[in-house]
Amino acid sequence: MTGVRETRPREARRWAIDVRPLGVPAYRRLWLGNTVAMFGFQFTAVAVPVEMYALTRDSFWVGLLGVAAFVPLLVFGLWGGAVADARDRRAVLLGGSLLLWASTLGLLLQAVLDVGSPVLLLALMALQSVAFAISSPARSAMLPRLVPEDLVASATTLNYTTFTAASVAGPLAAGLILSASPDTTVVLPIAYGLDAVLFTAMLWAALRLPSLPPEPTADGQARRAGLASVVDGFRYLATTPVLLLSFGVDLIAMILAMPRALFPEIAHERFGGGGSVGLLYSAIAIGSMIGGLTSGWIGRLRRQGLGLVLAVVGWGLAIAAAGLAHQLWLMVVLLAVAGAADLISAVLRQSMLLVYAPDRMRGRLQGVNTVVVAGGPRLGDLRAGTMAAGFGGGVAWVAGGLASAVLVVVLAVAFPALLRYRAATASSDDRT
């Protein structure tokens, strides 16, 4: 019995999240500021599509928000990574954060003045996307210089865990605020105002960071934020089927089966609006959080390519099933199942990318990954909104999920390099 009592704490520690990076003051401030700001951002993430639907009563306009966010992200995303390698990363983060705060203040002002312009909403979302594209690469790239090398993985896990938690709690809180009054001119300014206030924590954290100038190159020349190295990254990606297919299946999943642009319409038509929209926006993140807390087995999975394909197919089928649900609790449960599948696919794809790619290419491929991860769902918003305008929200939701699952299977069978990929053989034939 004594042996059992001594073993349990050790086993619990193996599963518990590592909080040692919080002992580093600079990282702790950045983590805290980013966590508070991310929670606040969820108010805007829910309020903007709700406002757009209230103004237009058309999911096509809600889908256009995805275009407004994606185009600047595509243009500035990879460039933002190059700038982060060529300039003081603290200064880049601070500049991007100030621009992001300005876009939030713009949303607040137009809501207070009751401007009621869908075009202005699109413009402010585009500005917000530019700011994110500038600040996000710098914030990610500075992590290894804030904590010891042996704590980088733990710090990354902390970041992801708190992001997921904010993605759960934030939309729920936003749903409560938006359900407090049927008058959007009252509740929308509150949502945007809370985001603006909470984002000051990120500004405080950026100001308190140490200077992080670029490290000198081997020949002593200054780094340039040009496009040549980005082109080299794309050239390498085009010659590596495993990585190219891993990006491809993720894009299929997000473009065809991401239903979030339909949440305001479905919540209004099936569940009477109110707090139900917050539950829908939180459901996928809830599933991801549960999947993350029980994800220890993923690191022991050898057939990562097959696992990735199955996870993406599971995502599509769960999304399609959720679109058929007419009970709120059932839709939330099925969206949570999809979220767990999404977590598995994200972990496998990121693991494959870090292990498979040579070190000299990892930064550029992470830049591509940022564009894919952030841009895919925005293209999915456009697809869902456009299809809903022609066929209705329910058809757009279910058909997208089914098409995603089928197309991923077809792609995996037609190009079997991904199915053959095994973690232990990443350096052998699959690299050629």
mmCIF file with all atom_site columns, all heavy atoms in Angstrom, residues 374-386:
data_model
loop_
_atom_site.group_PDB
_atom_site.id
_atom_site.type_symbol
_atom_site.label_atom_id
_atom_site.label_alt_id
_atom_site.label_comp_id
_atom_site.label_asym_id
_atom_site.label_entity_id
_atom_site.label_seq_id
_atom_site.pdbx_PDB_ins_code
_atom_site.Cartn_x
_atom_site.Cartn_y
_atom_site.Cartn_z
_atom_site.occupancy
_atom_site.B_iso_or_equiv
_atom_site.pdbx_formal_charge
_atom_site.auth_seq_id
_atom_site.auth_comp_id
_atom_site.auth_asym_id
_atom_site.auth_atom_id
_atom_site.pdbx_PDB_model_num
ATOM 1  N N   . ALA A 1 374 ? -4.519  30.192 -39.497 1.00 0.00 ? 374 ALA A N   1
ATOM 2  C CA  . ALA A 1 374 ? -5.379  31.360 -39.301 1.00 0.00 ? 374 ALA A CA  1
ATOM 3  C C   . ALA A 1 374 ? -6.222  31.664 -40.531 1.00 0.00 ? 374 ALA A C   1
ATOM 4  O O   . ALA A 1 374 ? -7.343  32.170 -40.407 1.00 0.00 ? 374 ALA A O   1
ATOM 5  C CB  . ALA A 1 374 ? -4.520  32.572 -38.944 1.00 0.00 ? 374 ALA A CB  1
ATOM 6  N N   . GLY A 1 375 ? -5.683  31.364 -41.719 1.00 0.00 ? 375 GLY A N   1
ATOM 7  C CA  . GLY A 1 375 ? -6.396  31.712 -42.938 1.00 0.00 ? 375 GLY A CA  1
ATOM 8  C C   . GLY A 1 375 ? -7.445  30.705 -43.355 1.00 0.00 ? 375 GLY A C   1
ATOM 9  O O   . GLY A 1 375 ? -8.497  31.080 -43.890 1.00 0.00 ? 375 GLY A O   1
ATOM 10 N N   . GLY A 1 376 ? -7.189  29.404 -43.114 1.00 0.00 ? 376 GLY A N   1
ATOM 11 C CA  . GLY A 1 376 ? -8.137  28.374 -43.516 1.00 0.00 ? 376 GLY A CA  1
ATOM 12 C C   . GLY A 1 376 ? -9.538  28.586 -42.964 1.00 0.00 ? 376 GLY A C   1
ATOM 13 O O   . GLY A 1 376 ? -10.523 28.571 -43.723 1.00 0.00 ? 376 GLY A O   1
ATOM 14 N N   . PRO A 1 377 ? -9.687  28.803 -41.651 1.00 0.00 ? 377 PRO A N   1
ATOM 15 C CA  . PRO A 1 377 ? -11.033 29.041 -41.112 1.00 0.00 ? 377 PRO A CA  1
ATOM 16 C C   . PRO A 1 377 ? -11.709 30.277 -41.698 1.00 0.00 ? 377 PRO A C   1
ATOM 17 O O   . PRO A 1 377 ? -12.933 30.310 -41.825 1.00 0.00 ? 377 PRO A O   1
ATOM 18 C CB  . PRO A 1 377 ? -10.771 29.216 -39.609 1.00 0.00 ? 377 PRO A CB  1
ATOM 19 C CG  . PRO A 1 377 ? -9.507  28.464 -39.357 1.00 0.00 ? 377 PRO A CG  1
ATOM 20 C CD  . PRO A 1 377 ? -8.678  28.671 -40.584 1.00 0.00 ? 377 PRO A CD  1
ATOM 21 N N   . ARG A 1 378 ? -10.926 31.289 -42.070 1.00 0.00 ? 378 ARG A N   1
ATOM 22 C CA  . ARG A 1 378 ? -11.527 32.489 -42.643 1.00 0.00 ? 378 ARG A CA  1
ATOM 23 C C   . ARG A 1 378 ? -12.058 32.218 -44.059 1.00 0.00 ? 378 ARG A C   1
ATOM 24 O O   . ARG A 1 378 ? -13.117 32.719 -44.437 1.00 0.00 ? 378 ARG A O   1
ATOM 25 C CB  . ARG A 1 378 ? -10.519 33.635 -42.638 1.00 0.00 ? 378 ARG A CB  1
ATOM 26 C CG  . ARG A 1 378 ? -10.288 34.177 -41.229 1.00 0.00 ? 378 ARG A CG  1
ATOM 27 C CD  . ARG A 1 378 ? -9.060  35.036 -41.116 1.00 0.00 ? 378 ARG A CD  1
ATOM 28 N NE  . ARG A 1 378 ? -8.973  35.695 -39.820 1.00 0.00 ? 378 ARG A NE  1
ATOM 29 C CZ  . ARG A 1 378 ? -8.524  35.118 -38.706 1.00 0.00 ? 378 ARG A CZ  1
ATOM 30 N NH1 . ARG A 1 378 ? -8.101  33.865 -38.752 1.00 0.00 ? 378 ARG A NH1 1
ATOM 31 N NH2 . ARG A 1 378 ? -8.491  35.773 -37.569 1.00 0.00 ? 378 ARG A NH2 1
ATOM 32 N N   . LEU A 1 379 ? -11.327 31.414 -44.819 1.00 0.00 ? 379 LEU A N   1
ATOM 33 C CA  . LEU A 1 379 ? -11.873 30.972 -46.096 1.00 0.00 ? 379 LEU A CA  1
ATOM 34 C C   . LEU A 1 379 ? -13.096 30.091 -45.876 1.00 0.00 ? 379 LEU A C   1
ATOM 35 O O   . LEU A 1 379 ? -14.044 30.106 -46.672 1.00 0.00 ? 379 LEU A O   1
ATOM 36 C CB  . LEU A 1 379 ? -10.814 30.203 -46.887 1.00 0.00 ? 379 LEU A CB  1
ATOM 37 C CG  . LEU A 1 379 ? -9.659  31.039 -47.466 1.00 0.00 ? 379 LEU A CG  1
ATOM 38 C CD1 . LEU A 1 379 ? -8.658  30.126 -48.166 1.00 0.00 ? 379 LEU A CD1 1
ATOM 39 C CD2 . LEU A 1 379 ? -10.184 32.091 -48.424 1.00 0.00 ? 379 LEU A CD2 1
ATOM 40 N N   . GLY A 1 380 ? -13.069 29.335 -44.782 1.00 0.00 ? 380 GLY A N   1
ATOM 41 C CA  . GLY A 1 380 ? -14.239 28.538 -44.428 1.00 0.00 ? 380 GLY A CA  1
ATOM 42 C C   . GLY A 1 380 ? -15.448 29.412 -44.128 1.00 0.00 ? 380 GLY A C   1
ATOM 43 O O   . GLY A 1 380 ? -16.591 29.054 -44.461 1.00 0.00 ? 380 GLY A O   1
ATOM 44 N N   . ASP A 1 381 ? -15.223 30.567 -43.501 1.00 0.00 ? 381 ASP A N   1
ATOM 45 C CA  . ASP A 1 381 ? -16.322 31.506 -43.249 1.00 0.00 ? 381 ASP A CA  1
ATOM 46 C C   . ASP A 1 381 ? -16.955 31.952 -44.563 1.00 0.00 ? 381 ASP A C   1
ATOM 47 O O   . ASP A 1 381 ? -18.185 32.030 -44.686 1.00 0.00 ? 381 ASP A O   1
ATOM 48 C CB  . ASP A 1 381 ? -15.805 32.726 -42.492 1.00 0.00 ? 381 ASP A CB  1
ATOM 49 C CG  . ASP A 1 381 ? -15.383 32.399 -41.063 1.00 0.00 ? 381 ASP A CG  1
ATOM 50 O OD1 . ASP A 1 381 ? -15.806 31.341 -40.548 1.00 0.00 ? 381 ASP A OD1 1
ATOM 51 O OD2 . ASP A 1 381 ? -14.638 33.193 -40.471 1.00 0.00 ? 381 ASP A OD2 1
ATOM 52 N N   . LEU A 1 382 ? -16.093 32.263 -45.549 1.00 0.00 ? 382 LEU A N   1
ATOM 53 C CA  . LEU A 1 382 ? -16.608 32.692 -46.851 1.00 0.00 ? 382 LEU A CA  1
ATOM 54 C C   . LEU A 1 382 ? -17.388 31.568 -47.512 1.00 0.00 ? 382 LEU A C   1
ATOM 55 O O   . LEU A 1 382 ? -18.481 31.785 -48.058 1.00 0.00 ? 382 LEU A O   1
ATOM 56 C CB  . LEU A 1 382 ? -15.452 33.132 -47.744 1.00 0.00 ? 382 LEU A CB  1
ATOM 57 C CG  . LEU A 1 382 ? -15.835 33.498 -49.184 1.00 0.00 ? 382 LEU A CG  1
ATOM 58 C CD1 . LEU A 1 382 ? -16.770 34.696 -49.211 1.00 0.00 ? 382 LEU A CD1 1
ATOM 59 C CD2 . LEU A 1 382 ? -14.586 33.769 -50.015 1.00 0.00 ? 382 LEU A CD2 1
ATOM 60 N N   . ARG A 1 383 ? -16.833 30.347 -47.495 1.00 0.00 ? 383 ARG A N   1
ATOM 61 C CA  . ARG A 1 383 ? -17.519 29.210 -48.111 1.00 0.00 ? 383 ARG A CA  1
ATOM 62 C C   . ARG A 1 383 ? -18.879 28.978 -47.463 1.00 0.00 ? 383 ARG A C   1
ATOM 63 O O   . ARG A 1 383 ? -19.912 28.837 -48.154 1.00 0.00 ? 383 ARG A O   1
ATOM 64 C CB  . ARG A 1 383 ? -16.633 27.964 -47.956 1.00 0.00 ? 383 ARG A CB  1
ATOM 65 C CG  . ARG A 1 383 ? -17.039 26.738 -48.745 1.00 0.00 ? 383 ARG A CG  1
ATOM 66 C CD  . ARG A 1 383 ? -18.173 25.922 -48.171 1.00 0.00 ? 383 ARG A CD  1
ATOM 67 N NE  . ARG A 1 383 ? -18.081 25.682 -46.745 1.00 0.00 ? 383 ARG A NE  1
ATOM 68 C CZ  . ARG A 1 383 ? -19.070 25.154 -46.024 1.00 0.00 ? 383 ARG A CZ  1
ATOM 69 N NH1 . ARG A 1 383 ? -20.227 24.837 -46.600 1.00 0.00 ? 383 ARG A NH1 1
ATOM 70 N NH2 . ARG A 1 383 ? -18.927 24.970 -44.727 1.00 0.00 ? 383 ARG A NH2 1
ATOM 71 N N   . ALA A 1 384 ? -18.910 28.990 -46.140 1.00 0.00 ? 384 ALA A N   1
ATOM 72 C CA  . ALA A 1 384 ? -20.164 28.721 -45.432 1.00 0.00 ? 384 ALA A CA  1
ATOM 73 C C   . ALA A 1 384 ? -21.186 29.819 -45.691 1.00 0.00 ? 384 ALA A C   1
ATOM 74 O O   . ALA A 1 384 ? -22.366 29.539 -45.944 1.00 0.00 ? 384 ALA A O   1
ATOM 75 C CB  . ALA A 1 384 ? -19.880 28.588 -43.927 1.00 0.00 ? 384 ALA A CB  1
ATOM 76 N N   . GLY A 1 385 ? -20.746 31.069 -45.617 1.00 0.00 ? 385 GLY A N   1
ATOM 77 C CA  . GLY A 1 385 ? -21.680 32.169 -45.833 1.00 0.00 ? 385 GLY A CA  1
ATOM 78 C C   . GLY A 1 385 ? -22.224 32.200 -47.239 1.00 0.00 ? 385 GLY A C   1
ATOM 79 O O   . GLY A 1 385 ? -23.425 32.431 -47.459 1.00 0.00 ? 385 GLY A O   1
ATOM 80 N N   . THR A 1 386 ? -21.366 31.964 -48.242 1.00 0.00 ? 386 THR A N   1
ATOM 81 C CA  . THR A 1 386 ? -21.805 31.962 -49.633 1.00 0.00 ? 386 THR A CA  1
ATOM 82 C C   . THR A 1 386 ? -22.780 30.824 -49.901 1.00 0.00 ? 386 THR A C   1
ATOM 83 O O   . THR A 1 386 ? -23.822 31.004 -50.554 1.00 0.00 ? 386 THR A O   1
ATOM 84 C CB  . THR A 1 386 ? -20.592 31.835 -50.572 1.00 0.00 ? 386 THR A CB  1
ATOM 85 O OG1 . THR A 1 386 ? -19.684 32.908 -50.314 1.00 0.00 ? 386 THR A OG1 1
ATOM 86 C CG2 . THR A 1 386 ? -21.025 31.876 -52.031 1.00 0.00 ? 386 THR A CG2 1
#
